Amino acid sequence: MRSGQYQRKVVGTASAGSTTTSQAAQKNAETLFETRLVAEIRQIENRTRTEIDEKKEELRQLVGNSYRDLIESADKIVDMKNTCCAVVGHVEEMQAGFAQLHSRAQNFVTQHAQNSGRTQSEIDRDSRRKLYAAGSRVKYLVDTPEKIWGCLDDFAFLKGTERYLRAGEVHEILTASPSEEKENDAISRTD
């Protein structure tokens, strides 16, 4: 019972507070009309309307900017997703390429061992030499973009072009089929 009476009092107080505010505004308006001229009241009204319009425009811009920021963030997230998917695809391609390179190297070693009557240590030494040659060629290709940019920064265009052409040859050597490897061995010995 007591809680019901308490709630009625609180509700009565809240409604009394809002009526008091509206009554105070009414009294302010009445005081304004009693103390000011009609022209002054119109100026105050115009100022108040202008302030209200400015506040409305500020609110619209604030909401609009937040919406634009949200859309921009969403676009950036989609771009990041697409970039990540592309990177994953490239990594998978590299893994497949390394697996293919490894199987080709194994096939070459086994064929070469069967065709020649060499000892296992000679075959291991030869395969290490070929692995080192392939690794140094890959490093050459990896370092090429940085070297070319350095040449461009130093205005050494001819040197940069030579590096680019040599990188193309090295790439051809690395991607050559096993039948072309004999020719490439001859080329690599002249390097």
Side-chain angles (χ1 to χ4, degrees), residues 104 108 111 175-185:
R104 284 176 57 192
F108 179 77
Q111 286 177 354
T175 57
S177 65
S179 62
E180 297 172 347
E181 286 183 7
K182 292 179 184 177
E183 296 174 20
N184 292 338
D185 284 342

Side-chain angles (χ1 to χ4, degrees), residues 133-145 147 163 170 174:
S136 62
R137 288 181 181 128
V138 169
K139 180 173 178 3
Y140 184 86
L141 289 178
V142 168
D143 291 343
T144 294
K147 297 287 185 179
R163 178 74 182 215
V170 170
L174 283 174

Side-chain angles (χ1 to χ4, degrees), residues 13-40:
T13 309
S15 63
S18 62
T19 357
T20 316
T21 308
S22 64
Q23 287 174 353
Q26 184 77 22
K27 286 181 183 178
N28 276 345
E30 288 175 7
T31 307
L32 189 66
F33 279 106
E34 290 171 358
T35 59
R36 306 276 177 137
L37 297 173
V38 175
E40 292 176 339

Side-chain angles (χ1 to χ4, degrees), residues 116-170:
S116 68
R118 297 186 308 168
T119 64
Q120 186 63 35
S121 63
E122 290 174 338
I123 293 170
D124 289 343
R125 193 175 335 115
D126 190 40
S127 63
R128 267 184 268 139
R129 183 184 61 80
K130 289 184 183 208
L131 179 64
Y132 177 76
S136 62
R137 288 181 181 128
V138 169
K139 180 173 178 3
Y140 184 86
L141 289 178
V142 168
D143 291 343
T144 294
E146 184 178 341
K147 297 287 185 179
I148 290 175
W149 280 111
C151 290
L152 292 176
D153 289 341
D154 296 338
F155 300 103
F157 301 117
L158 182 61
K159 188 176 178 182
T161 304
E162 289 172 349
R163 178 74 182 215
Y164 175 77
L165 293 174
R166 281 189 303 232
E169 292 174 4
V170 170

